Amino acid sequence: MKVKKLSIESVREQFPSLKRKVNHHPVIFFDGPGGTQVPSRVIRAVSNYYRYYNSNTHGQFQTSRQTDHIIEAARNNISNLLGGEGPSNISIGQNMTSLNFAISRACSRIFKPGDEILITQLDHEANRGPWLLLRENGIKVREVKLLPEGVLDEEDMRNKVSENTRLIAMGMASNAFGTVNNVLLGRKLAYEAGALFLLDAVHYVPHFPVDVQEIGADFLLCSSYKFYGPHLGFLYAKPGALDNLPVDRLRTQDQQAPFRIETGTLNHASLAGVNAVAAFIAALGEGKSAREKMRSGMERINVHEQELLKILFNEIAGIKKLRVIGPGYGDAQRAPTLSFVHDSVHPEYICTLLAEEGIAAWNGNFYAIKAMEVLGLQESGGVVRIGMSMYNSESDIERLISTLKKI
Ligand SMILES: Cc1ncc(COP(=O)(O)O)c(C=O)c1O
């Protein structure tokens, strides 16, 4: 079935920050992979929380009960977004990194010297550092090689899984190059080895519909500030996966999933914002259930972003001195994130000139530092990254290209 187009004008209307000007130029945000802009209804929901509902949880009084309801609704909404079994499989954290550290610390208590973990050279450091720490406990951490094209070496991945592998941790999409990884291969290898399978979906969830039950991951992590919401992280854990994990916790806290990995008081106002994001995405789509609407909303976002990506690829290809780093358009499924380097101009200088024209884009390694080192880009300042989000338009690309041509 053909996916309906997003109405880009009505989408843009909902993001107040898009009305800003920088140096008299209307601002363009291509920095979505670092965090997207936020629609008005999310901003209102966060502020209304402090106006009407502010309290701690599990009290007998109205604001406390309303806060309990907001938190439960946020778990439910994220479960619907990811295609999970329900709210009891969604844990809430400060961000993806701290949740991943909590899981890795717990694993360090159950994995034994000689056990192995497989990570990748392409991943953001948030899905490498927490696992590399386990080397201190005698656990061997192996790394899937990154190929010069910015994709993982699948043969190497197969070769590095053994009967000692206890966990495979990989990204679904690269925040540096837009590469979408073969998670079905990861899942198969993990299953055959009897290993846990953990996915960093931070760069994937904002751009593609997800069905975590179909993927079959034990753990999947994402962050709502990458998909139009507040700064929070979420963990999906398969039923039972969290129950036996010896995570850091107080005896006063609920020992059951999904609460057992959550420490202290959550960010209630931001969770109210997450509920507004869910309503925003659902309103873009159609269907009977909340899940169907959100899935359909994500499909429309995906189609819009992929159209922009195609245009951007064609335009960048026309600028001789630029070299795209990562898979080409049409090589494979790809996130709408395009990175490039110039023959002689430093990425920081390019982004400074773009910024003067009101165009926000990141330069550097974006914490995918290992990938930049492997590709020999770290010393030369990394890459320029153009990250497209649902509110970007063709005219944003036109302005970007004409500015790049001037440079
Ligand atoms: C692919 C990827 N993984 C993990 C992270 C870390 O996320 P958080 O800031 O929620 O810890 C990021 C942040 O940029 C990312 O892009």
Side-chain angles (χ1 to χ4, degrees), residues 167-189:
L167 178 130
I168 298 180
M170 70 188 287
M172 287 188 78
S174 156
N175 66 317
F177 310 131
T179 320
V180 170
N181 293 327
N182 186 351
V183 294
L184 294 183
L185 174 63
R187 195 255 321 254
K188 176 173 173 287
L189 295 174

Side-chain angles (χ1 to χ4, degrees), residues 300-333:
R300 288 179 188 172
I301 293 174
N302 174 267
V303 166
H304 171 69
E305 292 176 342
Q306 291 293 322
E307 278 171 7
L308 292 182
L309 181 65
K310 190 171 178 184
I311 297 169
L312 181 60
F313 253 103
N314 282 337
E315 294 289 345
I316 293 274
I319 307 180
K320 289 215 172 52
K321 295 192 171 203
L322 301 185
R323 179 166 60 94
V324 172
I325 310 291
Y329 185 80
D331 284 1
Q333 202 190 23

Side-chain angles (χ1 to χ4, degrees), residues 33-34 94-98 124 126-127 173-175 200-203 222-223 225-226 232-233 366-367 385:
Q94 187 187 354
N95 47 47
M96 176 276 180
T97 307
S98 46
H124 187 286
N127 203 26
S174 156
N175 66 317
D200 171 1
V202 171
H203 194 62
C222 64
S223 299
Y225 72 96
K226 310 282 191 181
L232 282 181
F366 332 114
Y367 290 12
R385 178 179 68 181

Side-chain angles (χ1 to χ4, degrees), residues 99 144 177 227 229 369:
L99 284 165
V144 182
F177 310 131
F227 51 89
I369 187 166

